[in-house]
Amino acid sequence: MTIGQEKTTTPAGSARRAIAGRLSWGLADQAASSMSNFAVGIYVARSLGVTAFGVFSLAWVTYGVVLNVSRGLATDPLMVRFSGVSDASWRGAVARSSGTALGVGAAIGAACLVVGLGLGGRVGPAFACLGVVLPGLLLQDAWRFSFFAAGTGRKAFVNDLVWGIALVPAMVVAARAGSVAAFVLAWGASAAVAAVYGCFQSGIRPQLTGAREWLREQRDLGYRYLVENVSLSGASQLRAYGLGTIVGVGAVGAVRGAELLLGPFLAVLMGLSLVTVPEAARVLRRAPHRLGTFCLLLGGGQAAGALLWGGALLLMPDRLGELVLGGVWHSAAELIAPVTLGVVGAGLGTGAAAGLRALGAARRSLRSQLFASACYVSGGLGGAAVAGTVGSAWGVATATVSGSAVWWLQLRSALRERHHNPIPEVRTP
């Protein structure tokens, strides 16, 4: 090989190494985050039993809805428009974006506190405590996305590591109290520690006063992503509430237990999702003809990984399952196959979703998500009415695979549109 040949191949190799490095930090960060969440779930399941774990799961899926509200309005537009930009541009955007996330947490947290105090019973205290900790939880998540937009995933990993370390003594205190509310407080308080640390890492203070400006600037993306994200997490919440009503709160705990068994793989999937949109945006800028292949490799790889992990879970002996989940194991074990199939469908869909986000095709991604969410709710509740918890799991699996097909059809159409019309949809009001 000549010296001239080395010079032409080095940039491509460097680009691949840079992508691999950013993906690695995404996986490492999500591993730290998901292991913390996994540990909390396992600890609550073993400590409080399936019914109390069902109550905790209701608070958890509610948090998921609020988290997606924050991401849709604050961090998703940041990832699309401020990945790989100048430091000054990034810092200004992050100050307004993180302020938006903090404002969302404060507003919805106050509503959760009022509702929880009014509900009482088993569920009320858990929701009241969730309202107290929501601002810290959402700000911590905003720092993670901000760091990945800047290509500094190492800082996101360190931040999640701080959360995990703070979680240990918090869990010890919660275990002594022995209530769902105590575990919710411990989980959220430790996140608040990491959120404060994120301010020192970035050298940026969230600007609550900049939230209105941010929402105005990003309204063409933010409100579409808000509807898209809330339809996703809202469908999960409706399914959980409906399942609890049709079958019982214990069924919610069983479903959450099966999802916890897939936790390590879901950590990989979610870790990749932190960096796939910025990476897809970079591929679109540098080599737009490779975007479809990039998304296909991404989705196919995740689907294959889910199949392998689910197959391993099906071979898990009961003794090991009981060690992990305690009394929740037996009700969760029969859901492994359908939950795995659902994750396979989700993995396929995330590849197409990353491409649509990178293209700024907010209308197409919204259309896909609304269809997938409608299928998710109808499949989950329809299956529950026909065959209980197992029927709900199979209904969700079928819906997720169907939704994935729609995501890919929309991506194919968006790529064709871009080929004929290079004006990106991202700026369409």
Side-chain angles (χ1 to χ4, degrees):
M1 181 181 291
T2 66
I3 294 176
Q5 288 175 316
E6 289 181 3
K7 288 183 179 179
T8 58
T9 57
T10 298
S14 298
R16 285 192 294 269
R17 284 194 296 272
I19 292 174
R22 289 190 291 266
L23 289 174
S24 297
W25 280 118
L27 292 174
D29 168 73
Q30 191 58 46
S33 176
S34 294
M35 286 309 295
S36 297
N37 293 336
F38 180 75
V40 171
I42 293 298
Y43 205 74
V44 175
R46 290 182 57 84
S47 300
L48 302 180
V50 67
T51 301
F53 187 54
V55 174
F56 182 83
S57 298
L58 290 176
W60 188 282
V61 297
T62 303
Y63 156 71
V65 175
V66 181
L67 180 66
N68 278 299
V69 170
S70 175
R71 287 179 176 176
L73 293 176
T75 53
D76 283 346
L78 179 79
M79 295 283 275
V80 171
R81 288 184 170 154
F82 295 92
S83 293
V85 300
S86 67
D87 183 67
S89 178
W90 175 82
R91 292 180 70 84
V94 168
R96 299 190 300 278
S97 174
S98 59
T100 303
L102 188 59
V104 169
I108 302 182
C112 283
L113 178 60
V114 172
V115 170
L117 293 175
L119 281 175
R122 285 176 173 267
V123 178
F127 274 75
C129 292
L130 177 64
V132 172
V133 300
L134 271 176
L137 284 164
L138 298 191
L139 180 58
Q140 192 275 338
D141 186 73
W143 290 132
R144 297 173 66 212
F145 278 74
S146 299
F147 293 139
F148 278 108
T152 55
R154 177 182 58 84
K155 290 184 178 181
F157 170 74
V158 172
N159 192 275
D160 271 321
L161 201 60
V162 169
W163 184 4
I165 293 171
L167 190 61
V168 174
M171 284 290 104
V172 173
V173 174
R176 292 179 179 176
S179 68
V180 175
F183 280 107
V184 172
L185 280 176
W187 166 56
S190 55
V193 172
V196 172
Y197 179 64
C199 297
F200 291 98
Q201 282 181 293
S202 62
I204 299 171
R205 291 198 307 177
Q207 292 180 1
L208 276 169
T209 55
R212 181 176 297 180
E213 179 186 357
W214 176 262
L215 293 174
R216 184 175 62 251
E217 291 174 349
Q218 310 302 328
R219 64 183 180 275
D220 58 330
L221 287 184
Y223 293 116
R224 286 173 180 165
Y225 288 158
L226 169 64
V227 176
E228 180 181 331
N229 289 356
V230 170
S231 70
L232 170 64
S233 54
S236 177
Q237 188 177 28
L238 286 174
R239 186 257 185 131
Y241 288 166
L243 184 60
T245 301
I246 296 169
V247 184
V249 177
V252 181
V255 170
R256 177 62 184 157
E259 292 171 349
L260 279 174
L261 293 172
L262 282 152
F265 177 77
L266 289 173
V268 174
L269 190 153
M270 294 177 67
L272 287 174
S273 71
L274 287 170
V275 292
T276 50
V277 174
E279 291 304 325
R282 291 183 177 97
V283 170
L284 182 63
R285 284 194 293 267
R286 297 171 183 172
H289 61 285
R290 295 180 180 174
L291 180 61
T293 302
F294 173 83
C295 295
L296 183 61
L297 290 173
L298 176 66
Q302 290 179 105
L307 282 174
L308 291 174
W309 186 265
L313 288 177
L314 289 172
L315 300 176
M316 179 185 292
D318 287 339
R319 183 177 300 177
L320 181 57
E322 291 170 358
L323 179 65
V324 174
L325 288 180
V328 179
W329 161 253
H330 294 288
S331 54
E334 60 184 358
L335 306 179
I336 291 175
V339 170
T340 297
L341 181 60
V343 175
V344 169
L348 283 170
T350 54
L356 287 173
R357 287 285 175 95
L359 288 165
R363 285 180 293 186
R364 289 192 176 277
S365 61
L366 174 59
R367 195 177 305 154
S368 302
Q369 188 57 65
L370 289 176
F371 175 83
S373 297
C375 289
Y376 184 95
V377 174
S378 58
L381 298 186
V386 173
T389 310
V390 175
S392 179
W394 279 110
V396 165
T398 304
T400 306
V401 173
S402 301
S404 176
V406 173
W407 277 104
W408 279 101
L409 289 173
Q410 290 294 328
L411 177 61
R412 185 178 67 174
S413 298
L415 289 172
R416 287 178 176 174
E417 278 185 5
R418 190 181 189 280
H419 178 72
H420 293 97
N421 179 16
I423 299 176
E425 187 180 348
V426 66
R427 295 297 176 182
T428 304

